[in-house]
Amino acid sequence: WPNCGRSGAFARRATRLDRQPSHRLLLGFGFTPADAAPWTLRRRAVMPPLTANLPHTPQPSSLRSLYVRGIILGYKRARMNQTNHTSLIKLENVADADGAKFYLGKKLCYVYKAKTKKKGTVYRTSWGKVTRSHGTSGVVRAKFKNNLPPCSMGGKIRCMLYPSTV
């Protein structure tokens, strides 16, 4: 960090604020928040657009699947602490807490690729289950047999449609 005649945390905060343009000024002229602050962008998983076809509604046999896609958002956390044994998952086509109720108790499968072959394949799985919803936007909490590794954040996950409670 450049010193700028200041010291300590104040210098870091001041230089960071000096770099940031005013969002209010830029947003009025057709800029988006991404244009206004490109240094705040991170690698984020992109969810496909929400559609009216929910996974538990009748669909043609060619579109049926045994699992619903999801994204691993990270661990459950507060401002200072994080709980590694609980992961947050965003499921496809789930937009609110009521939609997440359908998936409570369902099995989750994280498929990843390893370097060495075991049992004839380099692909391995980590299994868990949906424990409860998290917030009001359709995110669910999940616990896995072994905690998910940090490199899985932003990765894809499968939510199996079993065991069924219907």
Side-chain angles (χ1 to χ4, degrees), residues 45 70-78 81-90 108 134 139-144 147-157:
I71 300 287
I72 302 170
L73 301 181
Y75 302 125
K76 176 177 166 273
R77 58 169 296 154
N81 303 326
Q82 75 177 10
T83 55
N84 298 340
H85 55 77
T86 303
S87 300
L88 302 178
I89 312 290
K90 175 66 178 159
L108 292 166
H134 180 82
V139 176
V140 295
R141 296 183 196 178
K143 292 203 175 198
F144 286 80
N147 297 345
L148 288 179
C151 64
S152 69
M153 292 182 191
K156 295 179 180 178
I157 196 164

Side-chain angles (χ1 to χ4, degrees), residues 4-165:
C4 303
R6 303 178 185 115
S7 63
F10 180 74
R12 287 192 297 273
R13 179 170 168 70
T15 53
R16 191 166 51 238
L17 291 176
D18 292 343
R19 289 194 319 234
Q20 294 180 350
S22 173
H23 293 329
R24 292 188 187 125
L25 292 176
L26 293 175
L27 291 178
F29 297 102
F31 285 88
T32 63
D35 297 327
W39 55 85
T40 61
L41 295 179
R42 295 180 188 158
R43 192 182 127 235
R44 292 190 179 130
V46 178
M47 290 293 290
L50 296 175
T51 61
N53 294 333
L54 295 177
H56 49 276
T57 56
Q59 294 179 346
S61 60
S62 62
L63 297 178
R64 286 193 189 148
S65 176
L66 287 178
Y67 65 90
V68 174
R69 293 179 299 182
I71 300 287
I72 302 170
L73 301 181
Y75 302 125
K76 176 177 166 273
R77 58 169 296 154
R79 188 173 66 92
M80 297 291 284
N81 303 326
Q82 75 177 10
T83 55
N84 298 340
H85 55 77
T86 303
S87 300
L88 302 178
I89 312 290
K90 175 66 178 159
L91 297 173
E92 189 179 33
N93 300 327
V94 181
D96 54 3
D98 291 332
K101 285 182 183 175
F102 173 81
Y103 296 97
L104 299 184
K106 298 287 190 279
K107 295 281 186 187
L108 292 166
C109 180
Y110 171 62
V111 181
Y112 60 98
K113 192 173 181 181
K115 209 174 224 184
T116 57
K117 265 191 180 182
K118 286 193 177 179
K119 298 181 182 176
T121 181
V122 292
Y123 292 100
R124 300 184 190 162
T125 59
S126 183
W127 289 89
K129 70 176 179 177
V130 176
T131 55
R132 57 174 289 185
S133 63
H134 180 82
T136 58
S137 62
V139 176
V140 295
R141 296 183 196 178
K143 292 203 175 198
F144 286 80
K145 184 181 176 196
N146 296 320
N147 297 345
L148 288 179
C151 64
S152 69
M153 292 182 191
K156 295 179 180 178
I157 196 164
R158 299 176 179 185
C159 180
M160 304 298 177
L161 296 178
Y162 54 81
S164 176
T165 57

